[in-house]
Amino acid sequence: MTKLNVPGNRYRQLRTNFTDTHPLVIDTEATAEDIQCAAHQRIRAATDLLETFTCLTYEHADLKDISHIINALYLLVQDGCDLLEAAQHVQLRPAVDNPIHPNQPHS
């Protein structure tokens, strides 16, 4: 995944950004659990949308409606994948970058 400026930067770009300013980014200093929760929300929304469409027929669907649906699904799934990748990197960070808090058990 592309990062802003230099490696180790706090913010990671989402692949769904289509501008040079990258208004949507992932905060890599967030906890892995929070990043995974955001990923889950997006993947769950895409799954719910797909489940809804399995119950419908496309006989009366307009081509532009289908492209809108595909675009929404792409954004949700790609953002979810980007978030999962970021969460994995947060979990794999060396212990120096991710210190164990006194109340956490050592694993």
Side-chain angles (χ1 to χ4, degrees), residues 87-100:
Q88 183 177 24
H89 286 284
V90 168
Q91 289 174 328
L92 296 176
R93 239 188 332 228
V96 173
D97 292 343
N98 199 3
I100 297 175

Side-chain angles (χ1 to χ4, degrees), residues 1-13:
M1 165 179 283
T2 309
K3 292 184 180 181
L4 294 174
N5 300 326
V6 295
N9 195 323
R10 177 177 177 172
Y11 300 102
R12 294 176 65 133
Q13 299 174 13

Side-chain angles (χ1 to χ4, degrees), residues 10-74:
R10 177 177 177 172
Y11 300 102
R12 294 176 65 133
Q13 299 174 13
L14 290 169
R15 287 178 233 186
T16 55
N17 283 323
F18 293 113
T19 66
D20 291 333
T21 60
H22 310 289
L24 299 175
V25 293
I26 300 168
D27 183 354
T28 61
E29 291 185 12
T31 66
E33 293 82 13
D34 288 345
I35 297 171
Q36 288 171 341
C37 181
H40 182 260
Q41 286 177 311
R42 283 150 182 79
I43 293 169
R44 172 54 48 206
T47 301
D48 291 347
L49 187 56
L50 285 168
E51 285 179 9
T52 298
F53 290 116
T54 61
C55 301
L56 302 175
T57 63
Y58 293 100
E59 294 171 354
H60 304 308
D62 189 297
L63 286 178
K64 76 174 185 176
D65 292 334
I66 293 172
S67 72
H68 292 167
I69 293 163
I70 290 169
N71 186 51
L73 288 168
Y74 167 75

